Amino acid sequence: MAAKNQQTQKPNKRKQFSSTKTDKDGSKSKKPKLLSSTPSSANPSNKLLKKPFNSSKPKREHPTHSKFKKSESGNDNKELTKRERRIQAKELAEARKKKRKPHYTLEQELASLWEKMRRRNIAKEDRSKLITEALQKMKGKIPEIAGSHVSSRVLQTCVKYCSQIERDAVFSELQPHLLTLSCNAYAVHLVKKMFDAASKKQLAGVISSLRGHVASLLRHMVGSVVIEHAYQLGNATQKQELLMELYSTELHLFKDLASIKESRLIDIISKLDLQKSSVLRHMSSVIQPILEKGILDHSMIHRVLIEYLDIADKSSAADIIQQLSGPLLVRMIHTREGSKIGMLCVKHGSAKERKKIIKGMKGHISKIAHDQCGCMVLVGIFSMVDDTKLITKIIIRELQTTLKELALDKSARRLLLQLLHPNYSRYLNTDGLASLNLTVPSLSSKNESEIKSKKLSRDEESSKEAAKSDIPEENLDEESTKEVATTDSDMEATESGKSDTPEENLNSAEGGKKDPSLRRRELLVNSGLAENLIDVCIENAEELLTSNFGKEVIFEVAKGGSDGILHPTLDEKLNNLHEAIAELAAKPKSDESEEEHVLENFHSSRTIRKLILDCPAFASTLWKKSLEGKCQLWAQGHSSKVVSAFLESSDSEVRKVAKEELQPLVDDGTLKIPETKQSANEN
């Protein structure tokens, strides 16, 4: 304090000293008071009074300095340790949280209980006690704390492991607040958990309570998850109840109208005599906000879009396809209806829109190919899109890196098989083949109603002309059909000539214009996909032959594809594949080996048998390298089907090569061949 007083008095002394200073003539000096004009610098004797640099005199500090403040507060310059500062900060944070969260203390207690009850090695009795204790603490406050990220997790665990009585109590407390909780980012998980654990009666009550709020919840990023979950858990009637609200204002207002058996929207409109324009207007008001927000992951929305495209006019349908064409479509094709929408966008989209769809899939091709529904969109692209360079660059280049995984996968193999043997019912089921033929009625070039009306009008005109002319009645039908064909083609030509729409915006109906065989060759052979696929089959021949799904890929490749598409370009590679399979078949039969021989394995024996019947070149290679002189060894079991295939082959050269060795085995009953097949081949 003495030093402080000295510092404060020093400027006064300077002021006093400078004020007494005068000039020689006795007048006061007007020289500015600078440091150089101080008496200490002017008077040499004052230099002795100066203190050294490292003196004990305390350094002057700014009043805002932390140490200066501490000295004023009376802490005697005592600093807090790091640990004490952390504790103090934690206490302040806790105090702020208590003020902000009314149930903060309860959440802390529940969190400590949750850490115990969620352990895996805890006894059921101990867990049930902890759950009962937690539910008792939360009783009456569940709707208030369900939105917290801590309490929501505690409630989910309680609902999962609690008794049915306790679960019903939680459900009854939450049900009045279900709509509010459905839009909360944390409570939505609890709501989904309650749906999973709900009884049939409770689920029906929940779905009934959602009526009137379906459209608004579907437009909400979080609420749409709840609607989709309820839609997936509901039966057919409950699903229909949720969908009806989205179709029409009448169906939304009057609940009795929703209880009809028809599921398709077009049938509902005809049965209830609804105005189609009103339905389209209402559905547009529901669908557009959903498309703008990009909430397109749910199957319920995909179903609504399918129904909308089925009744929409040309401009509305084209607008929906334009909005969906791009990266948004990738998020839809994982469901059955979403896959159909994807194929419709590919089929009816313009060249520009198709390009957006394919580019939007970049980086996701492998995942789409392994998806049960998504792979069909890629199949549709292979079958309809003419831009083979773009497909090769984006889709095929990504597929070439994982050909083995594609061949062994149940869904992904369809892409390879579609190129090797397109539209074959053995590889594509009925639903898959039907989806390739799906069309949007308003965008389809083959509009049956228009064609019928044109034909009727032409028939009337031709009959009038025939009555005036001398054309016989029996030739009337032929003449009228010729006129209809010519006039229809002329009409289409004139309409296309008068159109002012740019070419890129015109919808390409019924796929592309390129020859399917040419498109297939460009994608399979010219792109290098077939060559890489043959190499993969050679390296993994045994694994593919013995696989339930890979056997079909290696069969089609070894056969050369349908219509011999791989011949003659890749004949040398195919011969190498035939030799690789023959080498596997030439391995000695061993009872000690754990691995099953390819001629005795269920899948591989039947695949090799089919190759013998359908590919004479392979049959010749297999006989020379593997079976000649060893047929008696393989005349029993699954391998007998392979041996007998040589006599069942429709190729005379194949039968001739094997007959000398196999006929004695047939005569003595060692090798059995169906008489019908043998007699048919001999004839």
Side-chain angles (χ1 to χ4, degrees), residues 450-546:
E450 291 181 4
I451 293 173
K452 286 181 181 179
S453 62
K454 287 178 184 178
K455 285 185 178 180
L456 287 173
S457 60
R458 302 300 182 275
D459 289 341
E460 290 175 0
E461 291 177 3
S462 60
S463 61
K464 290 178 182 178
E465 291 177 0
K468 296 178 182 178
S469 61
D470 298 330
I471 300 175
E473 290 183 4
E474 58 270 15
N475 298 333
L476 182 62
D477 293 336
E478 295 180 4
E479 294 293 330
S480 62
T481 52
K482 288 179 182 177
E483 287 182 5
V484 169
T486 54
T487 51
D488 285 349
S489 60
D490 293 338
M491 212 172 161
E492 290 176 1
T494 54
E495 286 176 358
S496 61
K498 291 179 182 179
S499 177
D500 296 328
T501 310
E503 187 176 355
E504 62 179 12
N505 293 329
L506 290 172
N507 292 310
S508 305
E510 313 305 327
K513 299 178 182 178
K514 188 178 286 188
D515 182 27
S517 59
L518 176 60
R519 184 196 300 118
R520 183 172 156 231
R521 178 170 289 277
E522 289 176 354
L523 293 175
L524 184 61
V525 181
N526 298 352
S527 67
L529 177 64
E531 186 175 356
N532 293 340
L533 186 57
I534 295 173
D535 292 336
V536 169
C537 290
I538 293 172
E539 294 172 5
N540 307 278
E542 186 173 4
E543 187 176 357
L544 291 171
L545 284 169
T546 55

Side-chain angles (χ1 to χ4, degrees), residues 382-421:
F382 286 166
S383 306
M384 302 174 197
V385 179
D386 291 337
D387 194 350
T388 54
K389 290 185 178 180
L390 180 66
I391 297 174
T392 302
K393 182 180 178 181
I394 294 179
I395 298 178
I396 291 180
R397 288 290 175 266
E398 191 169 339
L399 294 178
Q400 283 176 328
T401 58
T402 57
L403 284 176
K404 179 184 174 182
E405 290 77 9
L406 294 174
L408 294 171
D409 187 76
K410 180 180 179 181
S411 301
R413 68 192 171 97
R414 294 178 183 175
L415 302 177
L416 305 175
L417 293 171
Q418 177 67 9
L419 294 174
L420 292 165
H421 197 151

Side-chain angles (χ1 to χ4, degrees), residues 160-179:
K160 183 178 180 181
Y161 294 109
C162 69
S163 62
Q164 188 61 42
I165 298 172
E166 292 172 330
R167 191 177 294 117
D168 292 341
V170 175
F171 188 87
S172 61
E173 195 170 342
L174 285 175
Q175 191 169 6
H177 309 275
L178 194 63
L179 294 173

Side-chain angles (χ1 to χ4, degrees), residues 556-575:
E556 291 292 345
V557 172
K559 193 179 73 169
S562 66
D563 304 329
I565 192 170
L566 303 184
H567 300 295
T569 311
L570 299 169
D571 280 347
E572 186 178 351
K573 288 270 187 182
L574 291 175
N575 291 334

Side-chain angles (χ1 to χ4, degrees), residues 310-494:
D310 199 24
I311 65 168
D313 54 59
K314 190 172 183 179
S315 61
S316 300
D319 185 50
I320 290 292
I321 288 175
Q322 185 179 5
Q323 286 181 276
L324 293 176
S325 298
L328 282 177
L329 199 64
V330 178
R331 295 164 52 190
M332 300 179 61
I333 57 181
H334 63 280
T335 66
R336 184 180 174 185
E337 288 81 7
S339 175
K340 291 178 180 179
I341 293 172
M343 298 182 76
L344 289 174
C345 291
V346 171
K347 177 173 283 190
H348 295 290
S350 63
K352 186 177 181 180
E353 288 163 356
R354 289 176 175 180
K355 191 173 184 179
K356 286 182 181 178
I357 292 171
I358 295 172
K359 284 190 172 182
M361 293 180 176
K362 190 174 183 180
H364 307 283
I365 300 296
S366 180
K367 188 176 180 180
I368 295 171
H370 287 81
D371 186 77
Q372 183 179 0
C373 301
C375 67
M376 288 305 301
V377 179
L378 294 178
V379 169
I381 289 173
F382 286 166
S383 306
M384 302 174 197
V385 179
D386 291 337
D387 194 350
T388 54
K389 290 185 178 180
L390 180 66
I391 297 174
T392 302
K393 182 180 178 181
I394 294 179
I395 298 178
I396 291 180
R397 288 290 175 266
E398 191 169 339
L399 294 178
Q400 283 176 328
T401 58
T402 57
L403 284 176
K404 179 184 174 182
E405 290 77 9
L406 294 174
L408 294 171
D409 187 76
K410 180 180 179 181
S411 301
R413 68 192 171 97
R414 294 178 183 175
L415 302 177
L416 305 175
L417 293 171
Q418 177 67 9
L419 294 174
L420 292 165
H421 197 151
N423 301 335
Y424 187 34
S425 59
R426 182 182 179 87
Y427 306 139
L428 293 178
N429 54 24
T430 308
D431 189 41
L433 290 171
S435 61
L436 287 173
N437 297 320
L438 278 176
T439 57
V440 177
S442 60
L443 297 177
S444 176
S445 62
K446 296 179 180 179
N447 196 328
E448 295 181 0
S449 60
E450 291 181 4
I451 293 173
K452 286 181 181 179
S453 62
K454 287 178 184 178
K455 285 185 178 180
L456 287 173
S457 60
R458 302 300 182 275
D459 289 341
E460 290 175 0
E461 291 177 3
S462 60
S463 61
K464 290 178 182 178
E465 291 177 0
K468 296 178 182 178
S469 61
D470 298 330
I471 300 175
E473 290 183 4
E474 58 270 15
N475 298 333
L476 182 62
D477 293 336
E478 295 180 4
E479 294 293 330
S480 62
T481 52
K482 288 179 182 177
E483 287 182 5
V484 169
T486 54
T487 51
D488 285 349
S489 60
D490 293 338
M491 212 172 161
E492 290 176 1
T494 54

